[in-house]
Amino acid sequence: MPKASVVVNTFRPGGLDITMAGMRDQTLKDFEIILVDHRYELRHRRAMALAQEYGVNLVHVPEHRRNGKWCVALAGWNTGIAVARGEVIILLQDWTYAPPNWINAHLQHHLARPTYVAAPYVYYANLPPLAMTKPVDEAQ
């Protein structure tokens, strides 16, 4: 069982390289990424290849409830939480780079007793080098 599960819910094209770069750069390595993807069929093969290239543990799943072309975002988050195996679940928005100590900082709040942590987003202008410059989608 991993220490943490990072649940990412996505329905937009692209951005997976940014998210996986942040996960690659984490100081703590005992975690899994649960990517719940409305575009699962379009990019599963390429998402898994990108995860391997970045050296991250990715579980890529479709959201459990679909509404045609419309995203059911809360169903996606629920799918990720149901699939997660980590002791702690951390939610991360798609297209987001998490800085290197991000998971470790979250886990520090869970050492003494179970805790619910709500934190604001911090946006960084400078990203590390990314493997891709185009969206990770088979069809545009």
Side-chain angles (χ1 to χ4, degrees):
M1 177 166 61
K3 194 72 171 166
S5 293
V6 177
V7 177
V8 180
N9 182 22
T10 186
F11 55 90
R12 300 182 284 188
L16 298 184
D17 53 340
I18 296 169
T19 302
M20 289 195 204
M23 297 296 98
R24 171 200 64 203
D25 296 345
Q26 292 303 300
T27 54
L28 178 90
K29 300 298 182 188
D30 186 15
F31 69 93
E32 65 181 356
I33 306 164
I34 309 295
L35 178 64
V36 183
D37 196 349
H38 185 77
R39 303 174 69 85
Y40 175 85
E41 290 80 10
L42 295 174
R43 59 181 166 196
H44 176 69
R45 184 178 46 79
R46 292 186 62 203
M48 295 307 291
L50 186 62
Q52 185 174 8
E53 181 178 343
Y54 277 92
V56 295
N57 179 16
L58 178 68
V59 178
H60 188 217
V61 297
E63 60 192 54
H64 80 279
R65 185 178 67 211
R66 302 246 179 122
N67 187 13
K69 66 180 181 177
W70 305 105
C71 170
V72 185
L74 292 178
W77 290 115
N78 288 339
T79 298
I81 291 168
V83 171
R85 299 176 303 125
E87 294 177 39
V88 173
I89 297 173
I90 305 170
L91 304 180
L92 178 66
Q93 185 60 43
D94 64 347
W95 280 84
T96 304
Y97 175 81
N101 202 35
W102 183 75
I103 293 175
N104 228 1
H106 274 276
L107 293 179
Q108 293 305 309
H109 293 282
H110 297 276
L111 293 177
R113 62 185 179 359
T115 307
Y116 173 80
V117 178
Y121 290 104
V122 177
Y123 295 98
Y124 295 90
N126 298 320
L127 293 174
L130 302 172
M132 300 180 58
T133 57
K134 294 183 181 180
V136 184
D137 289 46
E138 293 293 327
Q140 296 299 322

